[in-house]
Amino acid sequence: MSGTTDDDDHRLEALGYKPSFRREFSNLATISFAFSIMGLCSSVATTLNTPLLLGGPASVTWCWLLGSCMCFTLGSSIAEIVSAFPTCGGLYTASAQLCPKSHRAIVGWIVGWLNILGQVAGVSSTEFGLANMIWAAVSISSPTFQLTQGKTVGLFAGLLIVHGLLNSLATRYLAFATRGFVFVNLGATIVIIIVLLATTPRSEMHPATYVFGSQGIINQTGGWNNGIAFLLGLLSVQWTMTDYDATAHISEEVRRAAYAAPAAIFIAVIGTGILGWLLNIVLMLCSGPIESLPGISGSAFLQIMVLRMGTPAALFLWSFVCLTAFFVAQTALHACSRTVYAFSRLPDNGYFGHIASSTRTPLRAIWFTTVLSILPGFLDLASPIAANAIFALTAIALDMSYIIPIFLRRIYANHPDVNFRPGPFYMGPGLLGLAANVTCISWTLFVCVIFSLPTVFPVTQFNMNYASVIAVGVVFLSGVWYVLSAHQHYHGPSSNLDAETKARLGLEEVQPESSSISEKEKDHAFVSLDSA
C-alpha cells in the first residue's frame, strides 16, 4: 500500500503539487463516491416532477435514455482527462495545461468559476431537494400539516450545516463512511423497482403506448409546443448524471488515482444510466392517473409509491431515498470544498488553500463552501418556481466547465505549449475518442439552450428561469474582476512545490504547473479503449 501511495505522490509532484492529503479512499470507496454523487433514486425523486408534469410519461422514459447515452460520451471524455491529470483541481487544473501558456490564466479563471458555480448550485439543489423530500413525507403522514417556504429554507440551511460538520472530519472517517453509500443507493433503487412491480395489479399498469408512445406526450407547459415540452424532460437525467469530476476532486485522497478515479466515473455513468432507465420505466408503468400527481406531498415519486405500496411501506422505503440524498449532499460538499481549495492553492497557500493540521482537511474551504451553498436556497423565499432554476444552473455551469478542457485538448493538440500525455484510461487517438469528444460538446451546447428556457407560460418575474441569467452574470462579473485586478496576481493553477523540489523534478520555477511525467510513468502501459 505504501508503494502505491508513493507512486501516486510522485505522479502528483510531477504534475506540480506536493501531497497534502492522506490517501484513504480504496477502489470500493472511490466507486461508491462516484455512484453517490449521482444518487440515482434520490435524484430521480427530486426531479421527476419536471419531465412528468411538463412533457408527460414519454418524456420521462425517452429523455432519460437519450440523455444518459449522451452523458456517457461526456463521462468518458472527462475520465480520459482525469486519468491524465489526477489532482483535486480536476478539470480546472487540466484546462490550464491544455492550452498555450498565454491563455492559461484566463482559461483557468473561467473554468474555475464555472466549476465552482456549478458545484455550489449542485450542493444547494441537492440539499434543497432533500428538504422538500423530508417535508413531503411529513405531508403524507400528517395531511393537515401546513408547509411554508420558511420551513423549507430553515431545514435546508440546517442540513447544510450538518454536512459541513460531517465534512470537517478526517479523511479516513469520510472514506470509511463512503464505502457503504453505493449499497444504500443502488439497493434502495432495486427494492423500489421490485416492490412497485409486485404491488401494482397488471390490469392497472399503463400500456406501452402511454409509457413509450405518443399517448404519453402530455404537454402541460401552457405555451410550448410538444417538442419543447418533451425536451424539457432532459433536466432530470442531466441533473442526475452530472458532477462527473467530483471523483477527480478527491483524487489526491485516492489510491492509484490515475486508474481508480476515471474507472469509477466510467462505471458510475454506465450503472446509473441503465438502472435509472429501468426505474423510470417502472415508475411510469405504475404511476396511476397523471391528474392525481404530484398529490398532497408535492412529489410525484412519493405519491406513486404511496398509491401502490400504501403509506407505511412507502414511507419506510422513502427514508432510504432520503438517506441517499443525504449521501449525495455529503459527497457533493466534499468535492466542492476540494475545488475551492484547489482554486486557492498557491505557492504561499492562499487563505482557503489552508490544510488543518488536526484533520488534514481544508476546513476553511469546507465552511466557505457550506455558507456559499446556503445562499441560492433563499430564492425559494421569493418563488418556489424560481428556486428550481438552481437545478438547471447546476447542469449548465458544470457541463460548460467540462467541455472547455475537452475542446482545448482537441484544438491545441499539436501546439508546442501543450503536452497532453494520456493516463491509463485512454480512448486512443482514433475515431472513437474524437467522436465521443465532438458528440459531448455538441450535446452540452444544445441542452444548455433547453435549460435556459422558461418551463411554464405565461412567463412572469416569479416563474422565470433565472439559470442562464445567473450563469452569464457570474461569468461576466468574474471576467470584469479578472480584467480590473485579478490578472495582476492570478496566473493560472499554481504549483505549490518548493524551489528545491522543482529543481529535483526539473520543473520550471515560473511555470504554474507542468504536465510532464517522469520516465517511470511514461513507461506505464496505457489501457486503450480504441484498438484501431
Side-chain angles (χ1 to χ4, degrees), residues 46-50 53-54 121 124-126 128-129 132 152 235 239 298 376-396 451 453 455-456 462-468 470:
T46 301
T47 57
L48 181 63
N49 285 11
T50 297
L53 302 182
L54 294 180
S124 186
S125 56
T126 301
F128 185 72
N132 280 316
T152 301
L235 177 64
W239 185 79
F378 290 111
L379 272 174
D380 190 57
L381 296 176
S383 167
I385 297 178
N388 287 332
I390 59 177
F391 292 89
L393 176 62
T394 302
I396 291 174
F451 295 157
L453 301 174
T455 56
V456 294
F462 300 107
N463 62 19
M464 170 65 182
N465 183 352
Y466 293 100
S468 59
I470 297 173

Side-chain angles (χ1 to χ4, degrees), residues 22 34 74 112 117 138 206 208 213 222 233 235 237 289 296 390 403 432 457 465 529:
R22 294 190 178 98
L74 183 55
L117 172 64
V138 173
H206 288 292
L235 177 64
V237 62
I296 189 174
I390 59 177
I403 64 171
L432 177 62
F457 282 86
N465 183 352
L529 299 180

Side-chain angles (χ1 to χ4, degrees), residues 90-176:
L91 299 184
Y92 157 67
T93 298
S95 63
Q97 291 304 307
L98 295 172
C99 65
K101 293 180 181 179
S102 59
H103 301 341
R104 285 179 181 175
I106 186 63
V107 167
W109 184 263
I110 293 174
V111 172
W113 277 110
L114 274 174
N115 199 263
I116 289 176
L117 172 64
Q119 289 196 65
V120 167
V123 173
S124 186
S125 56
T126 301
E127 209 75 91
F128 185 72
L130 175 57
N132 280 316
M133 288 164 65
I134 293 173
W135 288 130
V138 173
S139 298
I140 288 292
S141 58
S142 303
T144 58
F145 174 76
Q146 295 294 321
L147 178 61
T148 65
Q149 291 159 286
K151 290 177 182 177
T152 301
V153 173
L155 180 58
F156 156 82
L159 288 168
L160 265 171
I161 292 173
V162 170
H163 281 116
L165 291 170
L166 291 175
N167 269 285
S168 298
L169 298 174
T171 300
R172 64 179 177 275
Y173 300 119
L174 297 175
F176 178 79

Side-chain angles (χ1 to χ4, degrees), residues 90-447:
L91 299 184
Y92 157 67
T93 298
S95 63
Q97 291 304 307
L98 295 172
C99 65
K101 293 180 181 179
S102 59
H103 301 341
R104 285 179 181 175
I106 186 63
V107 167
W109 184 263
I110 293 174
V111 172
W113 277 110
L114 274 174
N115 199 263
I116 289 176
L117 172 64
Q119 289 196 65
V120 167
V123 173
S124 186
S125 56
T126 301
E127 209 75 91
F128 185 72
L130 175 57
N132 280 316
M133 288 164 65
I134 293 173
W135 288 130
V138 173
S139 298
I140 288 292
S141 58
S142 303
T144 58
F145 174 76
Q146 295 294 321
L147 178 61
T148 65
Q149 291 159 286
K151 290 177 182 177
T152 301
V153 173
L155 180 58
F156 156 82
L159 288 168
L160 265 171
I161 292 173
V162 170
H163 281 116
L165 291 170
L166 291 175
N167 269 285
S168 298
L169 298 174
T171 300
R172 64 179 177 275
Y173 300 119
L174 297 175
F176 178 79
T178 302
R179 291 189 190 105
F181 288 3
V182 65
F183 300 109
V184 176
N185 179 15
L186 300 185
T189 303
I190 293 170
V191 170
I192 288 172
I193 290 172
I194 293 172
V195 175
L196 278 175
L197 290 174
T199 55
T200 305
R202 180 67 184 86
S203 60
E204 295 182 17
M205 288 186 179
H206 288 292
T209 54
Y210 182 81
V211 178
F212 300 101
S214 58
Q215 185 184 342
I217 298 178
I218 303 173
N219 186 346
Q220 300 186 68
T221 61
W224 288 119
N225 59 41
N226 287 347
I228 297 296
F230 176 87
L231 291 172
L232 290 174
L234 289 167
L235 177 64
S236 180
V237 62
Q238 294 290 149
W239 185 79
T240 300
M241 298 179 66
T242 191
D243 213 358
Y244 309 91
D245 71 330
T247 309
H249 296 307
I250 65 164
S251 59
E252 293 181 32
E253 301 163 74
V254 172
R255 301 168 198 151
R256 300 178 74 247
Y259 295 85
I265 294 171
F266 190 80
I267 293 169
V269 169
I270 293 177
T272 300
I274 295 174
L275 193 57
W277 195 43
L278 181 59
L279 174 62
N280 277 292
I281 290 172
V282 171
L283 283 168
M284 295 304 98
L285 281 172
C286 307
S287 59
I290 195 171
E291 296 79 13
S292 63
L293 300 175
I296 189 174
S297 67
S299 168
F301 194 111
L302 177 56
Q303 208 67 38
I304 294 169
M305 291 173 62
V306 170
L307 173 67
R308 298 308 179 188
M309 306 175 192
T311 299
L315 291 180
F316 175 75
L317 287 179
W318 189 248
S319 66
F320 289 95
V321 178
C322 291
L323 187 60
T324 301
F326 188 88
F327 292 159
V328 175
Q330 173 73 12
T331 52
L333 182 58
H334 185 167
C336 188
S337 66
R338 297 320 189 253
T339 307
V340 172
Y341 164 79
F343 209 4
S344 304
R345 181 164 56 180
L346 301 168
D348 61 344
N349 282 334
Y351 184 79
F352 294 113
H354 173 75
I355 295 290
S357 58
S358 58
T359 62
R360 302 301 301 165
T361 55
L363 291 181
R364 294 175 184 173
I366 289 169
W367 284 101
F368 173 75
T369 303
T370 301
V371 173
L372 195 61
S373 298
I374 291 176
L375 299 181
F378 290 111
L379 272 174
D380 190 57
L381 296 176
S383 167
I385 297 178
N388 287 332
I390 59 177
F391 292 89
L393 176 62
T394 302
I396 291 174
L398 280 178
D399 288 355
M400 286 300 294
S401 75
Y402 296 158
I403 64 171
I404 291 174
I406 296 170
F407 175 77
L408 293 175
R409 188 206 144 197
R410 289 294 176 181
I411 201 72
Y412 291 117
N414 299 317
H415 196 282
D417 287 347
V418 177
N419 186 21
F420 175 75
R421 290 187 177 276
F425 185 97
Y426 183 44
M427 291 186 286
L431 181 61
L432 177 62
L434 179 62
N437 294 164
V438 172
T439 300
C440 71
I441 291 172
S442 303
W443 175 255
T444 298
L445 294 174
F446 170 72
V447 295

Side-chain angles (χ1 to χ4, degrees), residues 421 517-524:
R421 290 187 177 276
I517 299 176
S518 65
E519 291 301 320
K520 178 181 177 181
E521 289 165 332
K522 291 178 186 177
D523 294 336
H524 283 173

